[in-house]
Amino acid sequence: MMNRHFWNGKKVFITGHTGFKGAWLSLWLTMLGAKVTGYALTPPTSPSLFETAKIDQLIDSHKGNLNDLKHLQQVLTAANPDIVFHMAAQPIVGESYRDPVGTFQTNVMGTVNLLEAIRILDRQGAKIRAVVNVTTDKCYENKEWNWGYRENEPLGGNDPYSASKACSEIVTAAYRKSFFGQESLERVAIASARAGNVIGGGDWSEERLIPQCLEALIEKKPMILRKPQAIRPWQHVLEPLSGYLRLAEKLYEEDTQFYSEAWNFGPDLEDCVEVGSVVNRLYTKWGEKPNLKHYQTSMYKESTMLMLDCSKSKRLLDWKPIWNLDQALEKIVVWMKDYQNNAPMRDVTIKQINDYMDDFDKRKSSNESV
């Protein structure tokens, strides 16, 4: 899995560093000794992990829009990174119905602009070695299968968000084959990463399950579920992030384009469970009896079944999940209760990252001793 020493001194450029996943990744990379430059809009929620953990004090943070190619290129050129993580996006399905044009503009043309800026910078002699474009498990054409989607399954999307992420995948493949492949002068290794339903402390997004549950718990009001029987691949935010880091290491270190492909990072099958089960477990760990309502009119269609097959990442990247769903929910409860008690949230978040790396080391030692 992830090599802790690899990142020391590396220059890393992150789009979307003010978002939930981007903030966790920014903090983790600074802990590993990387020099991080971030490019994003202001945090999408208030409060946010980015502000709560004071991450702007640790990195070179720039406010900018992916649709401003000139500004993006200027910041990227000044950063002159070794590795790029593309995480900026409009990530909410409901918002994509309210603003489909903006969603496609950000998620599709934003990807185009970043890859174009990288292409131009590379032709000017820069040495960007690896790019990871973070998309989503929803980029697949969902056929409601009872098994996980593999990386070679057809792309699709029944809503603007999912379709825009499928388009982002196609854009990534097109740039890779047209400008960064084996026959091209540019030798930037570019891959895409598709994760499951990511959960963790510091997420206040209005239309995500865990933030809604926590709000209901704190305000002592009913939790309204749209589709309690829907099955999703739940995983703590550190799980896919560890996969992105491992993938970037491989892209950077290898001389071939072998790793320049799409990769799934999701939980083991036993953690692909119903929405209602996740909510009940969270309430129990919080110490409250569930107070649920199982119906709410929805303006958009939601899939019933969605799982990922991560055998490729496990076999070729030596990546695997460390925390199961119950552990992930426990970490969320601890994080949020510390927040309620006005704890220093950067320290709390760093502790959870260290706990995760320690648990990985323990599992690795246990496996090696067998």
Side-chain angles (χ1 to χ4, degrees):
M1 277 184 66
M2 175 192 56
N3 180 350
R4 300 193 194 192
H5 305 292
F6 169 87
W7 294 96
N8 189 35
K10 293 290 189 301
K11 292 185 290 183
V12 181
F13 188 88
I14 303 176
T15 70
H17 67 290
T18 59
F20 167 55
K21 289 169 70 176
W24 274 93
L25 181 60
S26 297
L27 184 55
W28 198 350
L29 283 167
T30 60
M31 291 170 58
L32 295 172
K35 180 181 179 182
V36 177
T37 299
Y39 185 90
L41 299 174
T42 54
T45 63
S46 182
S48 69
L49 175 62
F50 181 77
E51 293 176 334
T52 302
K54 299 180 173 60
I55 293 173
D56 62 313
Q57 299 175 358
L58 303 175
I59 70 172
D60 184 15
S61 178
H62 294 262
K63 181 180 178 181
N65 193 314
L66 286 175
N67 297 313
D68 187 345
L69 176 57
K70 182 178 179 180
H71 184 224
L72 174 61
Q73 188 176 338
Q74 288 173 345
V75 178
L76 184 67
T77 301
N80 192 26
D82 304 302
I83 296 169
V84 175
F85 291 99
H86 178 38
M87 306 182 77
Q90 192 298 97
I92 305 298
V93 172
E95 180 61 23
S96 78
Y97 278 91
R98 293 186 288 272
D99 183 16
V101 173
T103 298
F104 280 105
Q105 184 71 39
T106 297
N107 294 354
V108 183
M109 289 309 300
T111 302
V112 171
N113 286 339
L114 176 64
L115 294 179
E116 183 65 11
I118 291 170
R119 185 178 75 87
I120 293 170
L121 188 57
D122 189 75
R123 289 202 163 189
Q124 294 172 348
K127 298 299 180 183
I128 296 175
R129 292 278 297 277
V131 179
V132 176
N133 177 23
V134 176
T135 62
T136 176
D137 57 351
K138 295 178 179 63
C139 69
Y140 292 106
E141 180 183 352
N142 195 326
K143 299 181 180 180
E144 304 287 350
W145 285 335
N146 290 320
W147 55 86
Y149 292 90
R150 297 168 297 178
E151 289 85 349
N152 59 355
E153 307 284 2
L155 300 174
N158 295 325
D159 58 83
Y161 167 72
S162 302
S164 72
K165 284 300 194 174
C167 290
S168 179
E169 288 277 356
I170 294 170
V171 166
T172 302
Y175 261 80
R176 180 170 55 234
K177 294 173 183 177
S178 299
F179 304 115
F180 301 110
Q182 293 283 9
E183 305 301 322
S184 304
L185 293 177
E186 299 89 344
R187 296 302 300 275
V188 183
I190 299 180
S192 59
R194 305 161 180 176
N197 279 44
V198 177
I199 59 178
D203 186 5
W204 280 277
S205 301
E206 291 184 2
E207 296 184 32
R208 289 186 182 145
L209 181 68
I210 298 302
Q212 289 177 331
C213 282
L214 292 172
E215 180 183 357
L217 278 163
I218 293 168
E219 298 185 5
K220 299 190 180 303
K221 62 183 183 181
M223 173 64 193
I224 302 174
L225 300 181
R226 291 189 301 268
K227 264 189 127 171
Q229 286 80 38
I231 293 176
R232 296 289 185 269
W234 308 97
Q235 58 187 156
H236 192 275
V237 62
L238 293 176
E239 301 288 6
L241 294 186
S242 70
Y244 306 162
L245 292 172
R246 179 60 172 164
L247 176 57
E249 291 168 17
K250 287 292 189 181
L251 293 170
Y252 185 95
E253 292 178 327
E254 298 295 329
D255 293 331
T256 70
Q257 294 286 312
F258 179 80
Y259 295 95
S260 296
E261 297 180 346
W263 300 84
N264 286 342
F265 299 102
D268 292 327
L269 289 181
E270 57 264 28
D271 288 326
C272 297
V273 303
E274 293 182 346
V275 167
S277 173
V278 174
V279 174
N280 282 318
R281 293 191 208 186
L282 182 63
Y283 269 75
T284 299
K285 293 181 185 301
W286 190 271
E288 295 286 343
K289 183 179 179 181
N291 180 13
L292 311 179
K293 292 186 177 180
H294 290 196
Y295 176 78
Q296 181 180 4
T297 345
S298 177
M299 66 176 289
Y300 52 88
K301 180 181 178 182
E302 294 180 277
S303 60
T304 300
M305 179 80 67
L306 182 57
M307 297 185 291
L308 291 175
D309 183 331
C310 302
S311 55
K312 176 183 171 184
S313 295
K314 292 177 180 179
R315 180 169 54 90
L316 299 178
L317 296 177
D318 191 27
W319 174 89
K320 59 184 176 182
I322 300 299
W323 288 343
N324 61 31
L325 177 56
D326 283 318
Q327 289 172 299
L329 294 173
E330 288 165 6
K331 295 295 183 182
I332 291 170
V333 169
V334 169
W335 198 99
M336 183 53 71
K337 290 197 172 184
D338 282 344
Y339 174 77
Q340 286 186 296
N341 292 327
N342 297 315
M345 296 315 297
R346 183 196 294 174
D347 294 344
V348 171
T349 309
I350 286 174
K351 182 182 184 306
Q352 293 204 351
I353 295 173
N354 281 322
D355 288 345
Y356 181 86
M357 291 193 290
D358 289 344
D359 286 346
F360 164 71
D361 289 340
K362 292 175 185 176
R363 179 175 294 186
K364 181 178 179 181
S365 298
S366 174
N367 290 341
E368 289 177 348
S369 64
V370 174

